[in-house]
Amino acid sequence: MMEELAGAEPSPEAAVTPDETESGGAMSPGLKKILIFGVVALVLFLLISRPNESADAVRSALGWVQDGAEAIILFFQSLFA
């Protein structure tokens, strides 16, 4: 029986630790929840305490997204023209 086990190849499942499968190798679920809570709290605080500046920031971010989308559209129009 020992000879059979000594020559056997380890299965791929045996090489993966439980930590890698549960967390995906990124961060712990508790830390992720804390970070998400912190970001949401910060956004709410800024929206309540500085609504005008928050609206300007959102407008600016949407402007960047619009500029990027227009650049991509222009690229594909130039590519297939």
Side-chain angles (χ1 to χ4, degrees), residues 20-33:
E20 293 171 346
T21 57
E22 291 174 4
S23 66
M27 68 175 76
S28 69
L31 178 62
K32 186 176 180 180
K33 286 181 185 178

Side-chain angles (χ1 to χ4, degrees), residues 30-81:
L31 178 62
K32 186 176 180 180
K33 286 181 185 178
I34 292 171
L35 288 175
I36 290 172
F37 179 77
V39 168
V40 169
L42 178 65
V43 168
L44 286 174
F45 171 75
L46 291 174
L47 285 174
I48 293 168
S49 65
R50 298 175 178 241
N52 291 332
E53 291 87 351
S54 299
D56 291 339
V58 170
R59 269 190 229 106
S60 177
L62 291 176
W64 293 339
V65 171
Q66 181 182 3
D67 292 344
E70 288 173 354
I72 291 171
I73 291 170
L74 181 62
F75 167 76
F76 280 108
Q77 286 176 343
S78 300
L79 187 65
F80 295 114

